Amino acid sequence: MADGFLEKRQQDYEARREAFLRRQRHLPPLKRKPQRPDDESL
């Protein structure tokens, strides 16, 4: 009984992980702007 339970949990985890990674790959990469110093004369 325990083996079936663990196998089901593992399959569920792998399916959720694969779906997450698939969604993550389709998102555009974050665009970061360079930080400017407070005093622009520097």
Side-chain angles (χ1 to χ4, degrees):
M1 182 175 124
D3 291 339
F5 175 77
L6 294 176
E7 288 173 5
K8 177 68 174 152
R9 287 289 195 178
Q10 184 68 25
Q11 290 171 355
D12 290 344
Y13 165 75
E14 289 174 2
R16 285 193 318 270
R17 181 174 184 266
E18 193 62 36
F20 168 76
L21 292 175
R22 194 176 305 122
R23 282 193 312 269
Q24 187 179 26
R25 282 187 287 244
H26 292 305
L27 293 177
L30 293 176
K31 295 181 180 177
R32 298 182 186 251
K33 296 181 180 178
Q35 292 181 346
R36 293 185 178 175
D38 292 336
D39 186 9
E40 300 237 351
S41 64
L42 294 177

